[in-house]
């Protein structure tokens, strides 16, 4: 009957119901309570009266027959809405028609682990746990079915990986016990002789002419060679002014610039040289990268068949962060270097300036000499004049018949440090 009599109410703002304490509103993160009357609440206040920030810190605890809950108004678990907006609680007196309005604060109540689980993890163990382990604990407690399934799968893979490492270590120990260290070192020396063949182009050591030792067809197939016609047109028709502009802009390496300066006038030979120079320039630019993230390695100007060749023969396919990508590893860089040397030999009548190529490829002289000797080039020295009138010593590589004996890189010093 009072509701029918009451037609309007007065708004009376009363501030905080208690001194320095606003009214408490709660929400439960895991749903609604079935029996809200059976919940026992306890509010804890900060006793730090000197720090103005900590003075308003509150922790609200709630207990039911099944679970305990906790919420606070500070730290990462606090609701941001308390600082962005104000909450009020109104109490309506239906007889007098007056509504008393008080300031309120919202707490987000979250389930708390049981005392047994809290006691099982000592403070020291909690500090030692990594971020990944803490996240796994959260997934076990609150994660979805999909997250828990992924967690179990990852743990099973980890167990399998550890078992594999133990099996490999045990097998290695058995091999060492059986063969002995001396025999293993001898086998490693034999393997060194075959290491360089992994990235070297096919070598025909019994060839009668230098051009047949490393055949051009082994480097570029007829279809790939034909695809170079269009992109190499700029090199084929290059002018002296354009070469000067390349030097000023530093857009191409020294070997390419020198090769363009000496292009033959014969149309057929000029076209062949231009294609070779363009592909050599492409290999050097490709080698400077580390990870190929796009399907087109060097942009739209590279023919599709050439781009496919670069990715297939000069990269390793790796799996990282849920995706496949092409990686140019150190061994692939060595392979590209060997093919660059091969192209340069065909361009320069089988004698090249190794020092110039080494600087273009940003290699150490030692590494460049290792690859050149592995390709069975004859190494010599020559004084080269510089622009300032000075001279410096360059290493030359010549492919001549008969071929010198094969030499491999010396890794004995590294092996001594390891053993």
């Amino acid at each position: 009957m009072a509701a029918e009599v009451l037609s309007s109410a007065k708004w009376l703002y009363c501030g905080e119901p208690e001194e320095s304490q606003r009214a408490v509103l709660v929400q439960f993160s895991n749903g609604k309570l079935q029996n809200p009357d059976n919940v026992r609440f306890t509010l804890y206040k900060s006793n730090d009266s000197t720090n103005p920030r900590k003075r308003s810190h509150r922790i609200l605890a709630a207990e039911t027959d099944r679970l305990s809950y906790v919420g606070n108004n500070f730290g990462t678990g606090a609701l941001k809405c308390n600082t962005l907006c104000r909450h009020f609680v109104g109490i309506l007196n239906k007889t007098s028609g007056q509504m008393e309005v008080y300031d309120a604060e919202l707490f987000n109540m979250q389930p708390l682990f049981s005392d047994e689980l809290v006691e099982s993890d000592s403070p020291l163990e909690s500090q030692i746990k990594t971020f990944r382990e803490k996240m796994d604990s959260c997934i076990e407690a609150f994660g979805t079915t999909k997250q828990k399934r992924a967690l179990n799968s990852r743990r099973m893979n980890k167990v399998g990986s550890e078992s594999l490492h133990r099996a490999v270590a045990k097998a290695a120990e058995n091999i060492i016990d059986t063969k002995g260290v001396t025999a293993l070192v001898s086998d490693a020396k034999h393997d060194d002789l075959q290491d360089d063949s992994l990235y070297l182009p096919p070598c025909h050591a019994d060839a009668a002419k230098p051009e047949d030792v490393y055949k051009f067809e082994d480097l570029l197939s007829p279809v790939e060679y034909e695809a170079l016609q269009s992109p190499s047109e700029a090199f084929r028709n290059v002018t002296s002014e354009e070469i000067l502009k390349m030097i000023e802009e530093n857009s191409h390496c020294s070997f390419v610039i020198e090769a363009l300066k000496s292009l033959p006038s014969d149309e057929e030979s000029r076209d062949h040289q231009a294609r070779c120079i363009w592909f050599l320039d492409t290999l050097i630019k490709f080698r400077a990268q580390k990870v190929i993230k796009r399907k087109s390695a060097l942009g739209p100007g590279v023919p599709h068949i050439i781009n496919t060749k670069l990715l297939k023969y000069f990269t390793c396919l790796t799996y990282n962060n849920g995706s496949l990508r092409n990686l140019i590893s150190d061994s692939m860089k060595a392979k590209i270097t060997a093919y660059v040397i091969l192209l340069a030999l065909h361009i320069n009548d089988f004698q090249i300036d190794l020092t110039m190529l080494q600087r273009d490829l940003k290699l150490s002289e030692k590494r460049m000499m290792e690859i050149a000797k592995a390709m069975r080039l004859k190494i010599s020295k020559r004084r080269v004049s510089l622009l300032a009138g000075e001279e410096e010593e360059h290493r030359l590589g010549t492919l001549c018949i008969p071929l010198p004996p094969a030499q491999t890189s010396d890794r004995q010093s590294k092996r001594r440090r390891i053993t």
Side-chain angles (χ1 to χ4, degrees):
M1 295 297 293
E4 296 176 359
V5 173
L6 185 63
S7 59
S8 63
K10 291 183 181 180
W11 174 289
L12 177 62
Y13 175 66
C14 301
E16 297 176 345
E18 296 182 14
E19 184 180 356
S20 302
Q21 177 56 53
R22 289 175 284 182
V24 175
L25 298 175
V26 298
Q27 67 179 24
F28 291 86
S29 61
N30 62 333
K32 295 182 179 180
L33 295 179
Q34 295 179 355
N35 299 314
D37 296 334
N38 296 332
V39 184
R40 299 175 297 279
F41 290 96
T42 306
L43 183 66
Y44 298 93
K45 302 180 181 179
S46 173
N47 57 5
D48 190 345
S49 59
T50 58
N51 192 327
R53 290 187 175 182
K54 293 184 178 180
R55 192 183 304 163
S56 61
H57 285 184
R58 301 289 185 269
I59 297 176
L60 181 64
E63 293 184 9
T64 66
D65 296 336
R66 296 181 59 193
L67 279 175
S68 297
Y69 299 85
V70 66
N72 53 61
N73 64 352
F74 61 91
T76 56
L79 294 172
K80 292 184 178 180
C81 61
N82 285 325
T83 58
L84 300 175
C85 58
R86 296 180 65 183
H87 297 87
F88 300 95
V89 172
I91 301 176
L92 177 62
N93 188 328
K94 296 182 180 180
T95 304
S96 64
Q98 181 171 286
M99 176 176 282
E100 298 177 353
V101 179
Y102 297 92
D103 291 327
E105 189 172 18
L106 185 61
F107 286 81
N108 184 38
M109 308 300 291
Q110 297 182 352
L112 188 66
F113 289 110
S114 64
D115 294 338
E116 291 78 12
L117 289 176
V118 173
E119 292 174 359
S120 64
D121 290 337
S122 65
L124 180 61
E125 291 176 350
S126 178
Q127 293 176 5
I128 294 175
K129 280 187 176 181
T130 63
F131 176 77
R132 168 59 69 182
E133 291 171 339
K134 293 177 182 178
M135 285 296 297
D136 290 347
S137 299
C138 291
I139 291 174
E140 285 181 333
F142 306 109
T144 62
T145 303
K146 185 177 180 180
Q147 289 173 329
K148 291 178 180 179
R149 193 184 303 119
L151 174 61
N152 292 334
S153 177
R154 179 160 53 81
R155 285 178 172 173
M156 290 298 293
N157 290 337
K158 183 179 179 181
V159 172
S161 177
E162 291 175 353
S163 302
L164 178 62
H165 286 312
R166 286 195 296 268
V168 171
K170 186 175 181 180
E173 290 177 2
N174 294 336
I175 292 174
I176 292 174
D177 293 339
T178 304
K179 298 188 68 174
V181 177
T182 305
L184 290 175
V185 171
S186 177
D187 291 345
K189 288 180 181 179
H190 177 72
D191 292 340
D192 281 346
L193 297 175
Q194 300 177 342
D195 281 349
D196 294 318
S197 62
L198 297 176
Y199 57 78
L200 292 181
C203 177
H204 305 277
D206 55 348
K209 297 183 294 184
E211 55 265 31
D212 293 333
V213 176
Y214 295 104
K215 294 183 178 180
F216 190 79
E217 294 77 14
D218 294 332
L219 175 62
L220 285 168
S221 68
V223 179
E224 293 164 347
Y225 181 77
E226 187 64 28
L228 297 179
Q229 181 179 6
S230 177
S232 64
E233 185 176 356
F235 282 176
R236 185 165 55 252
N237 301 325
V238 70
T239 62
S240 301
E241 291 77 12
E242 290 173 338
I243 293 176
L244 288 175
K245 188 177 180 181
M246 291 178 185
I247 297 173
E248 291 174 0
E249 296 177 351
N250 196 25
S251 58
H252 296 81
C253 62
S254 301
F255 185 89
V256 171
I257 296 295
E258 294 300 321
L260 290 176
K261 288 180 181 178
S262 56
L263 278 175
S265 56
D266 177 66
E267 185 176 346
E268 184 177 350
S269 301
R270 188 181 183 90
D271 176 63
H272 176 75
Q273 291 284 74
R275 298 189 195 198
C276 294
I277 295 170
W278 184 90
F279 189 56
L280 181 141
D281 184 54
T282 301
L283 281 177
I284 292 177
K285 290 178 180 178
F286 184 76
R287 185 188 181 279
Q289 302 186 60
K290 188 171 183 180
V291 178
I292 309 300
K293 298 180 180 180
R294 301 176 302 173
K295 290 184 178 180
S296 180
L298 294 172
V302 180
H304 176 72
I305 189 172
I306 300 299
N307 185 72
T308 304
K309 182 183 183 69
L310 293 176
L311 295 177
K312 182 178 179 180
Y313 289 97
F314 301 110
T315 65
C316 303
L317 199 60
T318 60
Y319 184 78
N320 185 51
N321 293 332
S323 62
L324 291 172
R325 61 179 186 174
N326 295 88
L327 174 71
I328 304 179
S329 61
D330 290 341
S331 59
M332 289 294 106
K333 286 182 182 291
K335 184 176 182 179
I336 295 173
T337 302
Y339 276 76
V340 167
I341 292 176
L342 170 57
L343 264 175
L345 288 170
H346 279 274
I347 293 171
N348 276 9
D349 293 329
F350 302 98
Q351 185 178 68
I352 56 174
D353 189 330
L354 292 172
T355 303
M356 183 186 295
L357 268 183
Q358 165 219 321
R359 293 171 181 172
D360 290 340
L361 293 166
K362 295 179 175 56
L363 274 174
S364 66
E365 181 179 334
K366 180 182 178 182
R367 184 58 176 152
M368 191 68 173
M369 293 304 107
E370 285 178 352
I371 297 176
K373 290 177 181 178
M375 294 182 69
R376 305 179 74 170
L377 301 186
K378 181 181 178 181
I379 309 299
S380 58
K381 297 178 181 180
R382 185 180 70 181
R383 303 292 296 180
V384 176
S385 300
L386 303 179
L387 294 176
E390 300 177 356
E391 290 186 347
E392 67 175 2
E393 193 175 77
H394 281 212
R395 299 292 186 97
L396 300 182
T398 307
L399 187 62
C400 54
I401 302 296
L403 296 176
Q407 298 185 33
T408 58
S409 55
D410 184 14
R411 300 183 179 89
Q412 280 293 81
S413 58
K414 293 182 182 179
R415 183 172 291 109
R416 287 196 192 98
R417 287 197 295 269
I418 294 173
T419 55

